[in-house]
C-alpha cells in the first residue's frame, strides 16, 4: 500500500511538470489521457484489492458467525431436548424402564448429537457423600454409561450437578474424559424434585461430534475451527478441533492469518469458538479481477460494465448467504415443531406476558382451539375458568418475576375451559424458561377425563362391595341372634328339663339310666356347638366390648383346643373403632390364625394389633413350614379374601412367606375416612 501511494504521488508530480511544457495540445491531451487511464487503472486495481480484502474478511466473519451459530443451536437443541425429558419425568409419578425407552426413542432420533439420555437418582453414600447412580439410560448405539454408574464420579460432573440443584434451567459441565478412549464429553444436567423423588435428568454429548456434524460442507476445507470451554478465562480448555486444508500456497507463506473469535453462553456456561481461514479460503479471493479491471479501465465503457457485473455478482452472493441463514432458522424451528407435534400430551409455550408462543396439535385436540386462535392470546384469558381467572393472572405476574409457582416442579390437577365452554379436567406440570431476564414457561398438559371416570367407577364399585360386606355381616349377626334366641334357648330348656327330673327314667334299669345320661350329654354338646357357631358367625363380645376383647377371647378358645402357642399383643385397650373396621380386622385375624393352626405346623403364632394415627396395623406371624405364594393353586381363597377385604376398605395387605421360614400376614386399615365411616 505504501509503494502504491508513492507511485500515485509520483504520477501527480509528473503530470504537474508536464502541464508546464509548451507541447501541442494534441500531445498534451494524449499524455493527459494516457496518464488519466494509467491513474484510473491503478486506482481501480487498488480499490479492488482493498475490496477483495474487505469481502474476504466479511465473508470469513460470516462463515465464522454462521458456524458458531450452528454449534450454539446444536447445544441449545440438546438443552431443549433435556427440558422435554425433564417435563416428562416431572409429569409422571413413576417412570418404568419400558416407558422411558418409548419416550426417549424419538428424542434420540430428533437430537443426533446426544449420545445418551438418562436419569440418576440422588442417594447418600458412605461418609455422607451424595451420589447419583444411573437408574435409566438410553444410548445411541452401544451404551456409553451403564446403569449403576455414579454420575458424580468426576469432578466436572459433580460441579455441574451441584449447580443444577440450585438452578431452574439445564446446566452444562466442564469437559471431561469418558470411556477407555478418553473422549472429551460434556454433561447437560437438570435437577428434578418430585414428591419423594429427587435426582438428575441428564444428557451426554461430545463437542467433537457437534463440530463435525454441524460443519457446513462447503466450509470443511476453508476453515480451521477450535472449540474451547471459556468458563474460566485464565485457563481455556480445548474441547474439539477441525483442521481444514492446512497446506499453504507460496503466496500465503509468511502472511498473518486472521482469527475470528466468537463467544456464546449455553445453559449458563461460556464457550469460545476460534475460526481461522485456511490457505484454500484465501485462494478463492485472490484472482485476476483487480488486474483485469485495471486493464479494462483503459477502455472506460468496458470498465464500467465490468464494475456493474462484479457488483451484481457480489450482491447475489450476499443474498444467497442471507437465504441460507434464513433456511437454517426455519429448519431449527421445524425441528422443534416436529418434537412437540410428536407428543401425545399438549405442549404449550407461554411468553412472560402470558401470550401463547407455541400450541401443538395435541393441544388443539384437547381444548378445541386452533393454533391460529391461540397464538398471541393470553393463556389464562382463554383457558382458565372465570371464578379463578383473576387469581391465575396474579400468580402469572409473580411467576414472571420469580420463576416460581404452584405448578413448577409439581403435577397439579385443575380444570380448563374448552372452546365449547365445557370444563375439562387436566393434569399440568410447568417448567420455567428464562426470557430476557424474565420467566416464560413450557407446560405439559394431559387430559384426565377418562382417569376421573375410572376413579369414580372404582369408588362406586368399592362402595357397593363395602355395602355388600356390611350386609353380609348383618346377616351373620342376625343368624347368630336367631340361633342364640331360638335353638340355644330350646336346647338349654330341654337340658334343664332333663336335670329337673328327680331320677332317671327306668328306675333301677341301668340301661335306661345310661341312655338318659347319654341324651343329657348330647344336649350339652349341642348347646356348646351352637354357642361355637354363634361365636364363629358373630362373636357377641365384638359388638359389646370391641376388637381387643374379641381377639383375646378368640386366642383363649384356640389355646384351649391345643395346638401352637399363641401370643397376643395390642395397644388398643378399650378403644372402639368403626364397626366395619373392627369386623374386618377380626375376620383377618380369624382367617390368619386358622391357616396357621391348620396348615403351618407351627409351634408358635404371634398376633399384633397397633393403632397409629389414622391407621390400624394387624400382624399374624407363625414359625411354621411356610410356602411359596406364587405356587398357591386355585380354590384357596383365604389369602385372597384377606387382600380383597383390605382393598375394599382402602387398606393394603402383604403376605410374606418362604418355605421353611414361616409366614407373615400384615394388613393396614384406615380408621378414618369414607371406608371407615360406613
Amino acid at each position: 500500500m505504501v509503494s502504491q501511494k508513492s507511485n500515485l504521488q509520483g504520477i501527480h508530480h509528473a503530470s504537474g511538470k508536464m502541464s508546464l511544457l509548451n507541447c501541442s495540445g494534441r500531445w498534451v491531451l494524449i499524455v493527459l489521457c494516457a496518464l488519466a487511464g494509467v491513474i484510473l487503472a491503478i486506482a481501480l486495481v487498488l480499490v479492488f484489492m482493498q475490496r477483495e480484502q474487505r469481502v474476504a474478511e466479511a465473508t470469513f466473519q460470516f462463515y465464522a458467525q454462521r458456524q458458531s451459530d450452528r454449534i450454539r443451536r446444536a447445544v441449545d437443541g440438546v438443552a431443549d431436548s433435556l427440558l422435554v425429558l425433564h417435563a416428562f419425568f416431572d409429569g409422571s409419578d413413576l417412570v418404568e424402564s419400558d416407558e422411558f425407552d418409548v419416550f426417549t426413542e424419538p428424542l434420540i432420533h430428533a437430537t443426533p448429537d446426544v449420545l445418551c439420555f438418562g436419569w440418576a437418582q440422588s442417594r447418600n453414600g458412605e461418609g455422607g457423600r451424595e451420589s447419583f447412580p444411573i437408574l435409566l439410560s438410553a444410548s445411541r448405539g452401544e451404551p456409553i454409561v451403564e446403569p449403576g454408574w455414579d454420575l458424580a464420579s468426576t469432578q466436572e460432573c459433580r460441579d455441574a450437578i451441584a449447580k443444577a440443584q440450585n438452578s431452574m434451567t439445564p446446566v452444562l459441565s466442564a469437559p471431561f474424559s469418558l470411556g477407555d478412549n478418553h473422549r472429551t464429553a460434556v454433561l447437560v444436567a437438570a435437577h428434578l424434585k418430585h414428591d419423594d423423588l429427587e435426582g438428575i435428568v441428564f444428557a451426554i454429548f461430545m463437542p467433537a461430534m457437534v463440530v463435525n456434524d454441524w460443519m457446513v460442507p462447503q466450509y470443511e476445507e476453508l476453515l480451521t475451527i477450535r472449540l474451547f470451554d471459556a468458563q474460566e478465562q485464565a485457563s481455556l480448555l480445548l474441547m474439539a478441533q477441525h483442521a481444514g486444508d492446512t497446506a499453504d500456497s507460496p503466496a500465503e507463506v509468511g502472511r498473518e492469518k486472521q482469527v475470528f473469535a466468537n463467544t456464546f453462553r449455553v445453559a449458563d456456561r461460556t464457550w469460545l469458538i476460534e475460526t481461522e481461514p485456511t490457505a484454500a479460503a484465501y485462494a478463492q479471493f485472490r484472482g485476476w479481477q483487480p488486474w483485469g479491471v485495471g486493464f479494462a479501465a483503459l477502455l472506460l465503457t468496458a470498465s464500467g460494465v465490468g464494475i456493474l457485473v462484479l457488483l451484481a455478482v457480489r450482491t447475489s452472493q450476499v443474498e444467497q448467504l442471507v437465504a441460507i441463514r434464513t433456511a437454517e432458522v426455519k429448519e431449527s424451528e421445524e425441528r422443534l415443531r416436529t418434537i412437540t407435534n410428536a407428543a401425545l400430551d399438549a405442549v404449550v409455550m407461554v411468553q412472560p406476558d402470558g401470550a401463547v408462543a407455541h400450541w401443538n396439535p395435541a393441544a388443539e385436540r384437547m381444548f378445541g382451539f386452533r393454533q391460529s386462535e391461540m397464538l398471541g392470546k393470553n393463556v389464562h384469558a382463554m383457558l382458565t375458568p372465570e371464578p379463578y381467572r383473576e387469581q391465575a393472572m396474579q400468580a402469572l405476574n409473580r411467576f414472571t418475576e420469580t420463576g416460581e409457582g404452584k405448578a413448577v416442579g409439581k403435577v397439579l390437577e385443575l380444570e380448563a375451559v374448552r372452546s365449547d365452554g365445557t370444563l375439562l379436567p387436566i393434569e399440568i406440570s410447568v417448567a420455567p424458561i428464562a426470557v430476557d431476564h424474565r420467566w416464560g414457561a413450557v407446560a405439559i398438559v394431559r387430559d384426565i377425563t377418562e382417569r376421573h371416570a375410572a376413579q369414580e367407577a372404582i369408588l362406586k364399585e368399592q362402595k357397593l362391595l363395602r355395602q355388600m360386606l356390611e350386609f353380609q355381616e348383618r346377616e351373620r349377626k342376625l343368624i347368630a341372634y336367631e340361633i342364640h334366641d331360638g335353638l340355644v334357648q330350646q336346647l338349654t330348656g330341654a337340658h334343664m328339663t332333663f336335670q329337673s327330673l328327680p331320677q332317671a327314667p327306668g328306675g333301677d334299669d341301668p340301661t335306661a339310666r345310661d341312655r338318659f345320661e347319654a341324651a343329657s350329654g348330647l344336649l350339652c354338646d349341642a348347646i356348646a356347638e351352637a354357642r361355637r357357631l354363634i361365636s364363629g358367625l358373630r362373636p357377641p363380645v365384638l359388638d359389646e366390648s370391641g376388637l381387643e376383647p374379641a381377639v383375646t377371647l378368640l386366642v383363649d378358645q384356640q389355646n384351649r383346643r391345643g395346638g401352637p402357642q399363641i401370643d397376643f399383643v395390642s395397644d388398643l385397650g378399650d378403644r372402639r373403632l368403626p364397626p366395619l373396621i373392627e369386623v374386618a380386622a377380626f375376620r383377618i385375624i380369624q382367617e390368619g390364625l386358622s391357616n396357621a393352626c391348620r396348615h403351618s405346623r407351627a409351634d408358635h403364632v404371634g398376633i399384633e394389633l397397633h393403632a397409629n394415627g389414622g391407621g390400624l396395623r394387624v400382624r399374624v406371624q407363625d414359625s411354621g413350614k411356610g410356602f411359596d405364594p406364587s405356587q398357591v393353586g386355585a380354590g384357596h381363597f383365604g389369602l385372597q379374601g384377606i387382600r380383597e377385604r383390605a382393598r375394599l376398605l382402602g387398606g393394603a395387605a402383604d403376605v410374606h412367606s418362604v418355605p421353611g421360614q414361616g409366614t407373615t400376614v400384615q394388613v393396614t386399615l384406615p380408621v378414618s375416612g369414607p371406608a371407615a365411616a360406613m
Side-chain angles (χ1 to χ4, degrees), residues 455 457-473 580-581 583-585 587-588 639-653 667-678:
Q455 289 175 347
I458 291 174
L459 290 176
K460 289 180 180 179
E461 177 188 3
Q462 288 182 339
K463 182 177 180 181
L464 176 61
L465 292 175
R466 285 195 298 268
Q467 289 174 346
M468 294 177 63
L469 186 62
E470 186 177 12
F471 178 75
Q472 181 188 41
E473 291 299 328
L580 197 56
I581 298 299
V583 171
R587 296 301 181 198
I588 290 170
L639 296 179
Q640 184 65 24
I642 291 175
R643 292 190 182 96
E644 289 300 319
R645 191 181 292 270
R647 183 183 68 83
L648 291 176
L649 295 177
V667 179
T668 56
L669 298 173
V671 297
S672 60
M678 291 189 61

Side-chain angles (χ1 to χ4, degrees), residues 573-626:
D574 57 356
R575 177 182 175 184
R576 297 305 303 267
L577 303 177
L580 197 56
I581 298 299
E582 288 188 339
V583 171
F586 181 81
R587 296 301 181 198
I588 290 170
I589 293 174
Q590 190 178 40
E591 179 65 29
L593 183 59
S594 175
N595 289 339
C597 293
R598 292 181 181 179
H599 309 296
S600 70
R601 300 178 186 174
D603 55 8
H604 179 270
V605 179
I607 300 175
E608 297 179 12
L609 275 176
H610 296 288
N612 183 13
L616 175 67
R617 182 166 61 87
V618 180
R619 182 184 178 93
V620 180
Q621 183 176 12
D622 66 65
S623 60
K625 63 181 182 178

